[in-house]
Amino acid sequence: MMRYFSVSTATWGSKIEMPAFEFTGSRALNAGRSGSAVFKVNDPDVSEVVTLESIAPLERILVAEEDGNAVYAGLIVDIDEDLDSGTVTVTHYDIWWILARRYLLANRDGTAPAGPPLTWTGRSLATLANLVVAKGMDGDPAARYDLPLIMSADVAGTHSRTYEGYKFVTVEDALQEIMNTYGGPYVDFDVRWAAGTETLEWVMRSGELTTGFWEWDATAEKSEVFQPRLRTNAEKVANRVIATGEGQGEDVLARSSSLFIDDIPALERVSSYQDIHEGVKLQERATADLYSANQTTKQFSFRIPVGGSVKLGDLILGGTCRVKTTGFRFLGAGWNNWRLIQFDFDRHWITLQMQMIGG
């Protein structure tokens, strides 16, 4: 059963159950998502709950719960009141929205551009992702900067990062750069109610993120798989990537990476990373860009019912969906393994977005 709550961003508690007529939400690997909620405030019982306090922008966050488990949380950002229809529509954004508005700074005042650089060395890429998020929560007043976010332990590695204050790098931009580095981690913020409490918290997951396995036979007579779709796309394919970094004209730093494994024409891409001034890091970006776009991609999606055999709370981004299908021209009949990269939901349906593992 799905229920919806408004929670205070000052205490991450103070739950108020919200009578949403419609509610949508979404979560994705390595990216922020959003959703909306519709309230029919012409109903006096609904109007009594949907107040200035319960849907105050930025002061409240909406949480979707299934069978007692929090499955999504979105910060209230936009409210559209329609008097003629008697509805209030709330737009909400997940925790990535906040991380896009936090910067990697030693000082958070007028001296920020001249402040000392932030430097971490000898860490794994997944740990660097954790460190930049933790730094985004380090500020004064602490009660406003802190987020109820659980992170994994520090892990040694061979990677380093330096962030100059005058560049004003956001936490989200730093995460994107780390995730897009060759061998970079996947990142997910899993939401939950803190153990033994009614307060909200997130668990930051960073790394390979392969936990989770679910199986569907879409060819079965009473299958719970609805509207299966396969998209095969070659628009972003490149078999040679040239990455450019700092510098201008013929002095610009550049590195390239190529891989010609399919019988297709040469397709080149030039990617600009003006903040990178080290050849080794620029080579990592060129290699990462190449391997992310060296082959035609297959993206698979289908819908399953809310309350079906696989619950919304069972889904873990990055996990494996094993699906049996038939009839697709660009996919052999039988079982295939897919990586769950996103799910979207409303009151009735969950839509799974997947990419083929190994392709």
Side-chain angles (χ1 to χ4, degrees), residues 28-269:
L29 283 178
N30 292 8
R33 302 294 295 167
S34 64
S36 64
V38 178
F39 303 96
K40 290 196 168 185
V41 292
N42 276 351
D43 183 331
D45 293 334
V46 174
S47 184
E48 184 178 358
V49 179
V50 181
T51 65
L52 295 176
E53 291 75 25
S54 66
I55 59 168
L58 307 182
E59 296 180 29
R60 306 292 294 190
I61 190 166
L62 293 182
V63 180
E65 176 191 278
E66 181 191 49
D67 298 335
N69 300 311
V71 294
Y72 168 86
L75 185 71
I76 296 174
V77 174
D78 183 78
I79 300 171
D80 182 5
E81 299 186 66
D82 188 329
L83 288 181
D84 287 342
S85 68
T87 60
V88 171
T89 301
V90 174
T91 303
H92 44 82
Y93 294 84
D94 67 15
I95 192 172
W96 288 86
W97 192 90
I98 298 176
L99 300 181
R101 289 153 180 82
R102 299 285 181 90
Y103 290 83
L104 294 176
L105 300 170
N107 305 312
R108 300 186 183 278
D109 54 28
T111 66
L118 299 174
T119 300
W120 293 288
T121 60
R123 294 335 204 276
S124 69
L125 289 169
T127 290
L128 288 172
N130 290 344
L131 290 170
V132 299
V133 171
K135 188 60 184 176
M137 298 189 294
D138 178 18
D140 183 34
R144 294 294 178 263
Y145 276 89
D146 193 31
L147 297 169
L149 186 54
I150 311 301
M151 286 178 283
S152 54
D154 203 326
V155 176
T158 60
H159 297 272
S160 63
R161 288 296 186 276
T162 296
Y163 300 98
E164 303 282 356
Y166 65 87
K167 292 185 177 179
F168 291 99
V169 179
T170 68
V171 171
E172 183 186 37
D173 285 344
L175 281 178
Q176 291 295 337
E177 186 275 325
I178 292 169
M179 293 183 302
N180 290 329
T181 297
Y182 184 62
Y186 291 96
V187 173
D188 173 42
F189 295 94
D190 194 13
V191 65
R192 69 186 186 187
W193 299 121
T197 73
E198 291 194 335
T199 59
L200 188 71
E201 67 181 13
W202 288 269
V203 177
M204 181 177 175
R205 305 168 59 231
S206 57
E208 286 297 312
L209 304 189
T210 58
T211 300
F213 181 85
W214 314 273
E215 191 170 86
W216 289 273
D217 183 352
T219 67
E221 184 177 351
K222 295 185 179 181
S223 171
E224 290 188 345
V225 173
F226 293 85
Q227 298 180 354
R229 299 182 65 178
L230 177 69
R231 183 178 183 187
T232 304
N233 186 278
E235 185 168 349
K236 294 183 179 180
V237 170
N239 39 34
R240 185 183 301 278
V241 171
I242 300 173
T244 61
E246 281 192 338
Q248 294 182 348
E250 55 188 40
D251 293 326
V252 67
L253 182 66
R255 293 292 185 272
S256 68
S257 188
S258 61
L259 185 62
F260 295 88
I261 58 175
D262 292 323
D263 191 17
I264 62 175
L267 300 168
E268 297 177 335
R269 175 189 299 173

Side-chain angles (χ1 to χ4, degrees), residues 272-338:
S272 176
Y273 302 103
Q274 295 180 351
D275 290 338
I276 297 181
H277 58 273
E278 298 178 31
V280 172
K281 290 182 180 178
L282 191 60
Q283 184 64 60
E284 289 178 345
R285 290 309 300 268
T287 303
D289 285 355
L290 176 71
Y291 277 86
S292 68
N294 191 250
Q295 291 181 309
T296 298
T297 60
K298 287 184 170 65
Q299 188 155 323
F300 187 50
S301 67
F302 59 83
R303 300 202 306 174
I304 59 175
V306 169
S309 59
V310 176
K311 310 293 185 185
L312 189 59
D314 296 333
L315 299 174
I316 306 171
L317 290 174
T320 298
C321 300
R322 182 167 169 78
V323 188
K324 184 179 181 181
T325 58
T326 187
F328 287 107
R329 288 171 173 76
F330 284 88
L331 182 67
W335 293 96
N336 287 284
N337 290 339
W338 303 84

